[in-house]
Structure formats: structure tokens, C-alpha cells
Amino acid sequence: MAVPDPQPPEPTPPQRPAPPPPAAAPPPAAPPPAARAQNGDLSPDQLLARPPGGPTEGWQAVVYQVSGGRVRPAPGPAERARQQLQARIGAPVAGCQRVAVVALKGGVGKTTTTACLGAIFAEHRGDRVVAVDANPDPGTLGYRIRRDTTRTAKDLLANVDKLERYADVRAYASQTDLRLEVIASEADPARDEAFGEDDYRELAAVLERFYSLVLTDCGPGLLHSAMRAILPSADQLVVVAAPSLDGARSASLTLDWLERHGYQPLASSSVVVINAVRERGRVDVGKLQEHFARRCRAVVRVPYDRHLETGAEIVLDELAPATRRAYVQLAAAVADGFRPPPDGGQA
């Protein structure tokens, strides 16, 4: 029997070559030399022995300084609180904000409050701040600063038609070391006309063109002529009270009068200052504070300070630390009531 020829093996299909491995992604292009210098070689961290922005208080500041800025702890609670106060004081404003400092009676520290509040604002803000003495009689605001001109509000009004630039107005103001500008009242004892409604209205119209913040040191009381121009134009009030029964009653009567004469919004948005509080006074200042807190937007206690008692030129660096902190808190409370710009940015 014949043996069949063996079947040839079936051909194997050709093997497809394996696909090449994917090419590695090219390394990122090196930044141009200018970018490298800007982002690295010329950065503050590279060039400065102690980069800016580190803590300035407490153990955090010690660590930051000892390490030459290489270790930068977060600021402590006290420093954060101070930074928050500074941010509130420096809040941008819409146009010009007008703050009137009032008291029903004299001798409670109204002029001192105006000068110290204005100095704190000028110290912490980058815009122009002016304080004006609107006392119908010769006022004392000009005596609480170092004056560099003898010109007064009366002189400014006599030349109002010539005031076209900020430099023109600046010639009638004295400027402190902290950049607060002060326009003093006429101190001539021979003067026979009081600073009145028309005077203030004309003066305010000039100042609002060149200043972001105008503080008005009003004369004692609410019924003199100038108040008929001051109150309708004020954005907010600071009411100054002495830490005594009659001082508190006078401040409370001030709020009563405002509410009954169409100024209820000013009364409720006002800031009350309980001024010259002594550590061991016989009046319960806490209860006074509670009373006014129900009637206005904020209440600030300012402690008694020997430097302010003299009635001489005010130097912030001469204030006791607690007094200076109180005025910073007062400035922050007032700034909380500022009208912000429509876009929320710089005015």
C-alpha cells in the first residue's frame, strides 16, 4: 500500500513589526534669560538679606529676625488684630467723607478728639486729611498742633475765588509731621462776627474738592449758626462725652436733639467717645458704655492721658500706649461708616 505524501506545513502569517515605543515628551523649554532673572535671580528672596513682609511683633518677629528671614512664622493674634485695624482705617472712600465732632458742652475733649483722630487717619491713610476749626468763637484747634502758617479760615474765605489748585488751599493750612492738615479759626479778639452758616458752607465746598476726609471741630452746642450747615452735610458724627453723670447726660441729650430734629440716621450711626476715663473713677463707665451702645453705632473709651491734659501741642508719640490704641480703635470705628466707592476699589 502506497504511503501518501506528507502534507506540506501551512504557511505562518508574516509577523508585523512591533510598534516603536512612544517618544518621550520633550523637556519644557527653558525660560528666556530675562524671565529667569525676573523669577529667580532678582526676586526679593534671593537678593534681600531679610525679605519683606515678615512678622514684626512677639516671638514670631524674633524667629524671623534671628533666621535672617529664612523662617517666617505667621503673625500672632495681636499683630493680626493691629493689621485688621489698619486695614479698616485705610478703607477707600467715595468722594469726600465729612465727619463732625460735636459736644453739647465745652471742656469734654472735643478739640483733642478731633486733633488725635485726624492724626491717626493721616498716619494710616494715603489720601489727604484735613481738620477745620468751625467754632463760632475763637477756637483752640490751631493751638494743639505746630502751626506753619498764621493764616486762618477767614483768610481762606477772603480769597476763595483764587483757589483753583490744591497748592492754593494748602497755603492756608498747617501740616503736622503725620500729614494732618489743620485750618485754624480766627483768634483775633477784635473780631465782632461769628463764624456762621454761610462761612462753613463756603469753606466746606472748597475743602471737598481737594480732600478725601474732612474733620470738623464744631463749637459747643447744637444751635449756633454754623451747625445749620454742618449737620445737613455731615456723613457721620463723633459725639464726645465726659465720664461723669453730667457729661453722659449731655451726650445723651445730643442724641435726643438729633432724633427729634430730623437727624435720626446721624444719631444712630454716630460714634460716642467716652473721653479721659480714669482707672479708679467713681462713675461706672461700663454702664455708660452699655447705655450709648443701645443708641449709636459704636462706643470707644479713651483713657485719661497726662500729655493731653496740658492743652499744649499734641504729639502722638508722647501718648501712653493705651491712649494711642484707643484712638486707633476710634479711627477704625469711624472708618467702618465710610461710604465705599461704587466699584469697591480706590476712590
Side-chain angles (χ1 to χ4, degrees):
M1 181 174 181
V3 179
D5 295 331
Q7 297 292 328
E10 296 182 1
T12 57
Q15 297 291 329
R16 293 183 178 180
R36 288 199 299 269
Q38 180 180 4
N39 297 331
D41 297 342
L42 297 183
S43 67
D45 290 339
Q46 293 288 336
L47 296 178
L48 299 183
R50 183 177 298 133
T56 60
E57 298 179 10
W59 65 264
Q60 296 91 343
V62 175
V63 171
Y64 176 71
Q65 293 169 2
V66 170
S67 68
R70 291 183 297 273
V71 179
R72 189 182 302 188
E79 185 170 359
R80 289 198 302 271
R82 178 177 59 80
Q83 292 172 347
Q84 291 170 357
L85 285 173
Q86 292 175 345
R88 290 163 60 193
I89 295 171
V93 299
C96 175
Q97 293 290 292
R98 298 161 295 259
V99 179
V101 184
V102 302
L104 201 60
K105 57 182 292 185
V108 298
K110 174 178 50 61
T111 298
T112 299
T113 300
T114 304
C116 291
L117 177 61
I120 293 295
F121 273 126
E123 180 184 29
H124 290 86
R125 296 184 63 85
D127 46 13
R128 298 171 186 156
V129 181
V130 65
V132 57
D133 194 335
N135 200 309
D137 302 313
T140 59
L141 181 61
Y143 298 134
R144 306 312 304 271
I145 64 162
R146 181 175 300 168
R147 295 180 64 177
D148 52 29
T149 180
T150 59
R151 294 177 173 180
T152 65
K154 179 182 178 181
D155 299 317
L156 186 154
L157 292 174
N159 296 276
V160 69
D161 294 337
K162 304 174 183 177
L163 305 178
E164 299 179 354
R165 302 172 302 163
Y166 163 69
D168 299 331
V169 180
R170 172 69 182 83
Y172 295 90
S174 295
Q175 188 176 65
T176 69
D177 293 341
L178 296 176
R179 298 175 37 258
L180 170 67
E181 297 180 36
V182 174
I183 297 178
S185 67
E186 182 66 40
D188 184 0
R191 185 182 67 172
D192 56 6
E193 292 184 3
F195 184 88
E197 176 182 358
D198 293 338
D199 297 320
Y200 182 83
R201 185 173 287 111
E202 191 171 16
L203 178 61
V206 173
L207 299 180
E208 291 166 7
R209 291 163 49 196
F210 302 103
Y211 295 89
S212 297
L213 183 56
V214 177
L215 303 177
T216 301
D217 180 20
C218 305
L222 297 169
L223 300 179
H224 55 87
S225 170
M227 295 303 289
R228 293 198 291 270
I230 293 172
L231 290 177
S233 63
D235 293 296
Q236 60 177 303
L237 300 181
V238 174
V239 181
V240 184
S244 61
L245 291 178
D246 63 337
R249 287 169 179 161
S250 294
S252 192
L253 284 173
T254 299
L255 298 176
D256 290 340
W257 187 94
L258 292 168
E259 291 171 350
R260 295 177 185 178
H261 288 81
Y263 296 107
Q264 199 280 333
L266 271 182
S268 61
S269 65
S270 65
V271 177
V272 169
V273 176
I274 304 177
N275 190 49
V277 177
R278 295 179 181 266
E279 291 185 1
R280 294 180 176 84
R282 299 183 62 182
V283 175
D284 189 339
V285 178
K287 290 185 177 179
L288 294 183
Q289 189 165 355
E290 292 175 2
H291 166 79
F292 288 114
R294 294 191 294 267
R295 306 199 59 186
C296 62
R297 183 167 55 81
V299 183
V300 178
R301 300 190 199 188
V302 175
Y304 164 82
D305 194 288
R306 294 182 64 184
H307 174 62
L308 299 177
E309 184 187 33
T310 64
E313 176 188 338
I314 296 173
V315 180
L316 286 188
D317 289 342
E318 297 293 329
L319 298 179
T323 307
R324 186 160 183 162
R325 284 195 300 270
Y327 282 118
V328 169
Q329 292 168 350
L330 172 60
V334 172
D336 288 343
F338 287 166
R339 184 177 66 254
D343 59 357
Q346 293 294 329

